[in-house]
Amino acid sequence: MPGKLRLALLTALGLMLGPLSAWAGPRELVLECDHLPPACNTPADGSPGFMIDIGQEALRRAGFSAQVRIVPWKRAMQDAEYHNDTLIVYFARTPEREASFRWIDITNQTTFAFMTKEQAPPVDTLAQAQMLGAIGIRAGSSVRSWLIEHGIAATMLQESTLETMARMLKAGRVPVFFGAPSTFVPLYTKLNGSRPVVGAPLYASDNWLASGLGFPAGDAARIGAAVRAMKADGSITAILAKYGQ
């Protein structure tokens, strides 16, 4: 093919692809979380949830768009670990997870406490919880590792979904639940028509935005910088306040 004709064809192709690339918009990444209102909501809940809002804004500032998927926790972890276009939000950094994920940045913190059914005495310490014989936790939660590290036997732990645990606590099938009041209290109240008793806060855990090790390092750096900018300019504080956090 003559050089001039080749140049003309390449120029025409560039002119065609340029508008198409602009029309395509930002590259889409998947943002996943379990259904944990008010942190991570489904459309039926009426709002995205504060962790989804944080994640979406960080991706937008980094030049990406977000496809939000609310899926069971174990699937969310597997998707983030093995798919190079997927991130997980509201994620705790634990020794078991450390080597399997790229830890992009801390978004905020979650406080954990024991909770009992309405009119039951509060449980403020690990020793008090041990005396009750069983502790309910959300399946897949990082609190399992924390409890075992602090002397609670694994045989004491009963694990299920947050909704099931709220019903089990109300019915007396577990005497106490350990988790985040920010997500458990609204769900328990909605399902049971009454508010659980919340004990003293025992610890706070950093919430991370994370990906699998195959996620591009440059993209992770841009998203991490966006998260830090959101913390610096008060955007994350404003999002949390909007949800009463």
Side-chain angles (χ1 to χ4, degrees):
M1 181 185 295
K4 289 185 178 180
L5 179 57
R6 184 185 300 113
L7 179 60
L9 288 172
L10 290 174
T11 301
L13 182 61
L15 291 172
M16 292 171 61
L17 291 178
L20 287 174
S21 298
W23 178 81
R27 183 159 64 87
E28 185 177 73
L29 298 176
V30 178
L31 183 68
E32 292 196 351
C33 186
D34 198 355
H35 186 213
L36 297 169
C40 302
N41 296 342
T42 65
D45 295 314
S47 62
F50 59 86
M51 294 307 309
I52 298 299
D53 276 353
I54 291 170
Q56 286 182 307
E57 177 62 11
L59 293 186
R60 186 193 68 79
R61 292 192 184 196
F64 304 101
S65 64
Q67 177 189 152
V68 176
R69 294 180 186 168
I70 303 298
V71 298
W73 196 245
K74 289 185 179 180
R75 178 182 161 187
M77 286 193 289
Q78 290 173 349
D79 286 349
E81 183 175 0
Y82 298 113
H83 297 169
N84 296 342
D85 64 346
T86 302
L87 302 126
I88 186 169
V89 74
Y90 204 31
F91 200 43
R93 189 171 185 169
T94 66
E96 298 87 352
R97 300 171 180 172
E98 178 68 33
S100 299
F101 294 90
R102 185 186 296 280
W103 302 96
I104 294 175
D105 216 293
I106 297 166
T107 57
N108 61 324
Q109 285 193 326
T110 293
T111 299
F112 295 92
F114 286 110
M115 285 160 277
T116 49
K117 64 186 295 185
E118 61 276 16
Q119 300 180 347
V123 173
D124 296 321
T125 67
L126 290 166
Q128 289 174 329
Q130 281 181 310
M131 294 176 62
L132 298 176
I135 299 170
I137 61 173
R138 180 176 61 83
S141 173
S142 62
V143 302
R144 186 180 194 278
S145 299
W146 187 89
L147 289 169
I148 292 172
E149 288 171 6
H150 288 79
I152 299 296
T155 53
M156 283 189 63
L157 303 179
Q158 296 189 33
E159 302 182 58
S160 192
T161 65
L162 208 61
E163 181 174 324
T164 298
M165 278 296 155
R167 297 188 188 281
M168 288 176 67
L169 184 63
K170 173 68 174 180
R173 292 166 58 195
V174 289
V176 65
F177 175 82
F178 188 68
S182 60
T183 52
F184 188 74
V185 170
L187 178 62
Y188 184 97
T189 303
K190 178 181 177 181
L191 292 176
N192 301 315
S194 55
R195 184 182 173 88
V197 176
V198 180
L202 290 187
Y203 81 103
S205 173
D206 291 332
N207 297 323
W208 285 81
L209 182 62
S211 69
L213 299 179
F215 190 84
D219 293 348
R222 288 163 58 191
I223 296 167
V227 171
R228 291 189 293 276
M230 290 174 66
K231 288 187 281 191
D233 68 18
S235 296
I236 289 180
T237 300
I239 290 171
L240 295 173
K242 183 175 73 173
Y243 287 87
Q245 302 298 309

